[in-house]
């Protein structure tokens, strides 16, 4: 059992510190943002699984009740293979730390969901105030598309129940038909891929563990990659130039071409659309996806290996 905990610690530290730093310096995620998002999710899943499996093994070694519950259906040879009775004092310390980390992670996820619901309710209340009054007998603006009276061009997707796509009259006036279609396709790409859930997860982990490089980079890269992914969805349907022009028209009043850090991502997105990088080959995309999908299985293999080898 001690070797399992050591191996799980090594895997977790490797996935949490050096691998994210290498991944943030790589150039290929810009070419394949969807694959890059999957790789980041697999890295996070690997670290969380390492912590959960280490917590389960540590709790089984320290607490006899947990051991009886976890290994109740297992043959005696499997239980003996883990050598749970020879737990060292540092195992108890590690178990307590992991239990505190699990409780803190749950609290951060819960807080993020509550805050997201509160922000969404506030945004919907503002929309109800800004939405134009309709003649008597017509339903309120609760459909999938809502048009707001606003001179500045803007469009965004409001997740929730029901989800809504909000477009301002300024956007309708400034954008051509093809550009408007590109904007709507971009926002639908966010909704179809459920990027809001991914953003909530990354924000909760980064807020709960800001000093962990994986979670900090995961939050930063998720915000960037979801936009690149939605840009690709729009450009495949409406063209790269049309999508770039729509992005400029929507954000010109915000300084889309500004060099300030707050607008740097917008400028990078426009440059990427005007000079689209070549995609990775189909074989390399499939290989990267497959390897990333197998990485979260490593902590499970480490955890179950002693028991599997003890089976007759």
């Amino acid at each position: 059992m001690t070797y399992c905990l050591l191996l799980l610690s090594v895997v977790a530290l490797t996935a949490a510190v050096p691998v994210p730093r290498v991944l943030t310096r790589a150039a290929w995620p810009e070419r394949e943002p969807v694959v890059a998002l999957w790789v980041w999710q697999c890295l996070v899943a690997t670290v969380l699984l390492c912590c959960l499996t280490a917590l389960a093994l540590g709790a089984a070694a320290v607490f006899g009740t947990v051991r009886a519950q976890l290994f109740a259906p297992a043959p005696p040879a499997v239980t003996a293979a883990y050598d749970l009775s020879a737990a060292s004092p540092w195992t108890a310390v590690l178990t307590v730390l992991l239990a505190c980390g699990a409780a803190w992670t749950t609290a951060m996820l819960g807080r993020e969901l509550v805050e997201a619901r509160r922000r969404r309710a506030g945004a919907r209340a503002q929309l109800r105030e800004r939405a134009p009054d309709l003649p008597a007998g017509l339903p309120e603006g609760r459909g999938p598309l809502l048009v707001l009276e606003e001179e500045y061009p803007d469009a965004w997707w409001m997740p929730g129940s029901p989800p809504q796509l909000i477009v301002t009259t300024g956007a309708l006036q400034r954008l051509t038909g093809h550009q408007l279609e590109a904007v709507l396709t971009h926002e639908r790409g966010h909704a179809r891929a459920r990027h809001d859930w991914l953003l909530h997860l990354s924000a909760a982990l980064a807020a709960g563990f800001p000093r962990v490089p994986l979670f900090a980079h995961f939050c930063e890269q998720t915000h960037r990659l979801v936009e690149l992914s939605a840009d690709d969805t729009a450009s495949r349907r409406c063209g790269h130039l049309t999508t770039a022009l729509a992005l400029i028209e929507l954000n010109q009043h915000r300084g889309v071409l500004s060099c300030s850090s707050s607008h740097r991502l917008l400028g990078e997105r426009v440059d990427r659309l005007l000079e689209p990088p070549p995609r990775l080959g189909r074989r390399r995309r499939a290989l990267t996806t497959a390897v990333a999908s197998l990485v979260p299985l490593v902590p499970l293999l480490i955890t179950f290996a002693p028991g599997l080898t003890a089976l007759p």
Side-chain angles (χ1 to χ4, degrees):
M1 190 269 297
T2 303
Y3 292 109
C4 290
L5 293 178
L6 288 175
L7 287 175
L8 289 172
S9 301
V10 170
V11 173
L13 289 174
T14 303
V17 180
V19 175
R21 290 173 178 169
V22 172
L23 190 56
T24 53
R25 297 190 185 102
W28 69 265
E30 183 177 347
R31 300 165 62 184
E32 293 294 340
V34 175
V35 178
L37 279 172
W38 179 247
V39 171
W40 280 106
Q41 293 175 71
C42 290
L43 278 177
V44 172
T46 300
V47 172
L48 295 180
L49 280 173
C50 284
C51 295
L52 286 175
T53 52
L55 175 60
L57 289 177
V62 176
F63 303 104
T65 305
V66 177
R67 184 189 316 165
Q69 293 293 329
L70 286 179
F71 290 89
V78 172
T79 306
Y82 286 93
D83 195 17
L84 298 173
S85 59
S88 58
W90 72 269
T91 304
V93 175
L94 178 63
T95 302
V96 172
L97 291 176
L98 290 173
C100 293
W104 183 249
T105 302
T106 304
M108 289 295 101
L109 289 174
R111 189 187 74 167
E112 177 64 26
L113 292 178
V114 170
E115 287 293 321
R117 183 173 296 182
R118 184 186 60 81
R119 290 192 300 266
R120 195 176 301 147
R124 287 190 182 277
Q126 291 181 358
L127 287 178
R128 283 193 295 269
E129 294 177 0
R130 295 175 58 191
D133 295 329
L134 298 178
L138 291 180
E140 296 183 6
R142 297 181 180 273
L145 180 64
L146 178 63
V147 178
L148 294 181
E149 290 283 351
E150 174 64 55
E151 63 172 313
Y152 291 110
D154 206 352
W156 69 94
W157 184 266
M158 175 73 68
S161 181
Q164 281 187 311
L165 180 61
I166 296 94
V167 182
T168 65
T169 53
L172 297 178
Q173 293 169 358
R174 295 192 64 169
L175 298 178
T176 66
H178 290 297
Q179 291 172 357
L180 182 61
E181 183 182 3
V183 171
L184 298 182
T185 304
H186 174 101
E187 298 302 331
R188 291 194 191 102
H190 283 311
R192 193 175 298 113
R194 301 309 303 264
H195 286 159
D196 55 315
W197 286 102
L198 197 56
L199 291 171
H200 291 326
L201 173 63
S202 64
L205 292 175
F209 304 94
R211 295 184 180 275
V212 178
L214 172 62
F215 298 147
H217 290 309
F218 179 49
C219 183
E220 175 189 345
Q221 292 299 314
T222 297
H223 281 79
R224 177 174 178 268
L225 292 173
V226 295
E227 294 299 335
L228 299 185
S229 172
D231 287 343
D232 288 346
T233 301
S235 63
R236 280 194 292 268
R237 179 169 181 175
C238 305
H240 290 88
L241 180 59
T242 300
T243 306
L245 292 176
L247 187 62
I248 293 174
E249 289 293 338
L250 278 183
N251 296 278
Q252 200 166 30
H253 63 283
R254 300 188 182 101
V256 63
L257 301 180
S258 171
C259 295
S260 63
S261 59
S262 58
H263 300 127
R264 190 171 300 161
L265 178 59
L266 287 171
E268 291 177 359
R269 290 168 59 193
V270 171
D271 292 340
R272 180 175 178 273
L273 287 167
L274 293 177
E275 297 182 3
R279 298 190 64 185
L280 299 179
R282 183 177 301 179
R283 181 176 300 179
R284 186 176 175 184
R285 291 201 305 270
L287 179 62
T288 304
T289 304
V291 171
S293 303
L294 293 175
V295 171
L297 299 179
V298 173
L300 298 179
L301 180 62
I302 294 173
T303 304
F304 291 110
L308 293 175
T309 55
L311 290 174

